[in-house]
Amino acid sequence: SRDGDQTCSAMAPFKTLLALAGLCGASAFAPVAPKSQVVRSTARPVFEEAVSEWEAEYPDFAKFGWGPSVHAEVWNGRHAMFGWVFLCATAYAKGHGLIPNPDMLLDLKEWGTLATISGKNTITNERAIILIANVHCFMVGLVAALAPQTWVDPLLFDPNDDSPAQQRAMARQPLGVLPDMQFKNWGLTETAEALNGRMAMMGLINLFAYSAITNKPMLDVINEWVGGAYY
């Protein structure tokens, strides 16, 4: 019996090899499932459909680049990126004492109703400085829109203007849901600008929503997100 056990143990590897060979041979003659055909959708992207519908319903606005358009997306992204720069700079100024007397309320007799929120409650000095800075940036942007330079992208389309800036802006094509971010599109490119603008816009939406839900000032939320790096 001992010799039989040794013989069985010696034959075990061969039995395993024979079983594997049998399985391989059976799989060779097994029916092969047909390859699934790739179905390519010919439907137009949602953004392009929205652009076409807008142009058909509101041609007077669409010819200036208003509404859902590549031009509007680019400019909204630029404003959102500038907004993040302004918010982070304001948080830095608040954390390093660059805003004088930030918690002091404005005097109603000195500033009048310009400084009021509702009734006789006035805003703080910090909020007034931020408000005036935003108004200044808004006026600069308004002047740039009303009197654009030839080397700057126009804020609105002008079908009668054949300048290179106008032609370049009107020739932009939709980049799709996920732009092509190969190495050739890195750096100072329109693709990178569009993607950064989209992330900036989504970031502002998240910031507004989080601030409203938690009832925290936006500067405090930003400071919290960066781990208290500002103050």
Side-chain angles (χ1 to χ4, degrees):
S1 61
R2 184 176 182 180
D3 294 338
D5 294 339
Q6 291 179 352
T7 302
C8 291
S9 61
M11 292 294 293
F14 295 101
K15 292 180 180 179
T16 304
L17 292 176
L18 289 174
L20 292 175
L23 290 175
C24 292
S27 62
F29 295 97
V32 179
K35 294 183 178 180
S36 59
Q37 297 180 354
V38 178
V39 179
R40 299 185 181 276
S41 176
T42 58
R44 299 177 62 188
V46 177
F47 182 76
E48 293 185 9
E49 290 185 359
V51 172
S52 299
E53 292 178 0
W54 175 265
E55 292 176 350
E57 295 180 7
Y58 306 98
D60 294 335
F61 292 100
K63 67 180 181 180
F64 293 110
W66 291 9
S69 65
V70 180
H71 190 66
E73 180 190 18
V74 170
W75 271 106
N76 289 334
R78 290 173 179 174
H79 288 124
M81 290 186 285
F82 175 78
W84 274 111
V85 172
F86 190 88
L87 285 169
C88 293
T90 305
Y92 180 87
K94 178 179 180 180
H96 292 76
L98 300 180
I99 300 178
N101 302 321
D103 298 327
M104 183 183 70
L105 297 176
L106 297 182
D107 188 1
L108 181 60
K109 295 181 180 179
E110 182 178 356
W111 291 92
T113 57
L114 181 64
T116 59
I117 302 176
S118 61
K120 296 183 178 180
N121 297 324
T122 59
I123 61 177
T124 62
N125 195 39
E126 175 187 72
R127 187 169 181 179
I129 293 175
I130 295 174
L131 177 63
I132 294 301
N134 278 280
V135 171
H136 173 75
C137 294
F138 172 76
M139 295 304 298
V140 172
L142 183 61
V143 171
L146 297 177
Q149 301 295 322
T150 57
W151 50 272
V152 178
D153 273 355
L155 184 62
L156 299 176
F157 288 156
D158 185 0
N160 299 322
D161 188 356
D162 58 352
S163 63
Q166 281 281 349
Q167 298 301 319
R168 182 178 62 253
M170 296 177 68
R172 288 194 178 101
Q173 298 297 322
L175 298 175
V177 178
L178 294 176
D180 182 13
M181 283 306 298
Q182 297 183 9
F183 184 75
K184 63 180 180 180
N185 293 325
W186 291 15
L188 300 177
T189 63
E190 292 185 355
T191 304
E193 179 188 27
L195 188 59
N196 289 332
R198 291 178 182 180
M199 291 189 293
M201 289 186 284
M202 289 299 300
L204 287 179
I205 294 174
N206 291 331
L207 176 62
F208 297 155
Y210 188 87
S211 177
I213 294 173
T214 60
N215 198 23
K216 293 181 180 179
M218 285 188 290
L219 294 182
D220 293 345
V221 173
I222 294 175
N223 185 60
E224 180 182 330
W225 283 358
V226 297
Y230 291 122
Y231 52 87

